[in-house]
Amino acid sequence: MTTQQKKLSMISFSGDFDKAIAVFTLASGAAAVGYEVNIFFTFWGYNAIKKAQGRATQGTGFLAKFFNFLMGGFKNLPLSRLNFGGISPHLMTYMMKKNNVATLKELIEASVQLGVNFYACEMSMVILGTKPEDYLHIKEQLGVAKFLKLAEGGQVLFI
Amino acid sequence: MTTQQKKLSMISFSGDFDKAIAVFTLASGAAAVGYEVNIFFTFWGYNAIKKAQGRATQGTGFLAKFFNFLMGGFKNLPLSRLNFGGISPHLMTYMMKKNNVATLKELIEASVQLGVNFYACEMSMVILGTKPEDYLHIKEQLGVAKFLKLAEGGQVLFI
Amino acid sequence: MTTQQKKLSMISFSGDFDKAIAVFTLASGAAAVGYEVNIFFTFWGYNAIKKAQGRATQGTGFLAKFFNFLMGGFKNLPLSRLNFGGISPHLMTYMMKKNNVATLKELIEASVQLGVNFYACEMSMVILGTKPEDYLHIKEQLGVAKFLKLAEGGQVLFI
């Protein structure tokens, strides 16, 4: 353990704004002190790193469109407890700016700059009908076995 | 670490359909590559492995019935973000079938076949007034101390 | 590992009553069998240990008041799935008492008695405009790096 790099791996499952803040605060904070950080995006977790605003999948069938309708983009992530007509992520971002705390966008950028690895869950890509190119900074698609292999010897969180 | 079997332990707390998919995808995926997998069911997590449809507890008092009313069975787990009148777990299952991804039922069966261990949280059984026999494949009832003992030396997730 | 004390660290993120029960059941259960237990409170997780009822922050500006309005106190934590007009935490507490299971208040007290360490997330304190003194038993404010340092070599859960 002494000579090995410390490691933090996270399964980013939730599409909630506040949980995305948690994921990228932990990611950038850990990377800043030298941790290897791996984020495995799955289900709603993709929301935070979508390229296209307001679309969950690039599929064109009815089901893909239905999911698109239900999922928002980076700018309209729901805030688990405070989502009054979409106003609250804006409120939270405002409070973060006002208090000189990094916003979600800044936390994601910092994570990328600090070398945090973004991985996509293979299965959820198949279900949602999306490709890694639809999201920002995806390094690779992984199944569960490869993710567990990556995470070995470090801390793992499900968020 | 080299000669020891790798281990993944999960606390399955949520009754959401999508989180149940996550639990059993991780469980079957890990077991398939040789991990010892332990799932500790507690609170709403029991939903996925209930024998009786539509009933949370086997108790007959008013409170037990109230919980029964509020909790659904395996077939009507809410999907955290997509639960429009119960249609969405069906939609998700449909999308999974369409894309040849294992459904929740199949993932649970695969987990059992692969030797995943199902444990019940003692305390929540007492609160809900249920018995291990009310659920599928429960090996044993455990308290926190025994669960932590089981989980030692491996990864632990709270889902 | 043999001579070292076992360790359980939790990030208490959610303000839900049932998840607070999970945090303090795990905390007191682990501490009772000799674990070092660290809880890192962040975002809504503070709800369970607030001194002032019904107030999230001590700030006096509009935004702080808005958050206060949205967050409840220890006695009115929402129960993720059962929150019908605030009745359900009471129902759950009643069922716990009826079955001789420790209530949330008792679990928190037991955790404190057993030496569980309560830490506050620095960043969320800045966002919410609160101070450690606004909460019960906070030992210290920490950033992500210090928390990860504390958690090293043990289990970590995000709840």
Side-chain angles (χ1 to χ4, degrees), chain A residues 11 13-16 19 40 43-44 47 62-64 66-67 69-71 77-78 123 126-129 144-145 147-149 151-159, chain B residues 1 6 8 18-19 21-23 25-30 33 35 79-82 84 87-88 91-92 94-96 98-102 107 155-159:
Chain A
I11 299 173
F13 175 93
S14 165
D16 296 335
K19 289 198 175 166
F40 183 70
F43 277 86
W44 324 108
N47 256 350
F62 166 72
L63 291 173
F66 184 64
F67 267 92
F69 170 73
L70 289 163
M71 290 179 75
L77 291 179
M123 190 187 85
V126 171
I127 297 178
L128 298 174
V144 167
F147 171 71
L148 288 170
K149 185 92 188 147
E152 255 172 46
Q155 305 286 15
V156 190
L157 300 173
F158 184 97
I159 299 183
Chain B
M1 245 2 216
K6 283 163 201 160
L8 175 66
D18 48 359
K19 289 198 175 166
I21 296 276
V23 166
T25 300
L26 284 160
S28 53
V33 292
Y35 275 67
L79 179 61
S80 355
R81 191 165 299 260
L82 285 181
F84 290 176
I87 197 178
S88 297
L91 174 66
M92 179 69 92
Y94 176 76
M95 288 182 83
M96 291 172 90
K98 189 170 160 281
N99 293 299
N100 292 316
V101 175
L107 288 168
Q155 305 288 13
V156 190
L157 299 172
F158 184 96
I159 300 183

Side-chain angles (χ1 to χ4, degrees), chain B residues 73-143:
Chain B
F74 165 60
K75 289 202 180 142
N76 40 30
L77 291 180
L79 179 61
S80 355
R81 191 165 299 260
L82 285 181
N83 199 24
F84 290 176
I87 197 178
S88 297
H90 295 285
L91 174 66
M92 179 69 92
T93 300
Y94 176 76
M95 288 182 83
M96 291 172 90
K97 278 193 180 148
K98 189 170 160 281
N99 293 299
N100 292 316
V101 175
T103 60
L104 179 56
K105 193 166 173 289
E106 290 164 350
L107 288 168
I108 295 174
E109 278 164 15
S111 298
V112 172
Q113 294 298 321
L114 290 160
V116 170
N117 303 304
F118 291 16
Y119 296 100
C121 160
E122 255 172 9
M123 189 185 85
S124 59
M125 289 246 150
V126 172
I127 297 178
L128 298 173
T130 53
K131 303 176 299 297
E133 306 86 79
D134 301 335
Y135 305 99
L136 299 165
H137 312 297
I138 292 289
K139 191 174 172 175
E140 204 181 331
Q141 284 189 65
L142 301 176

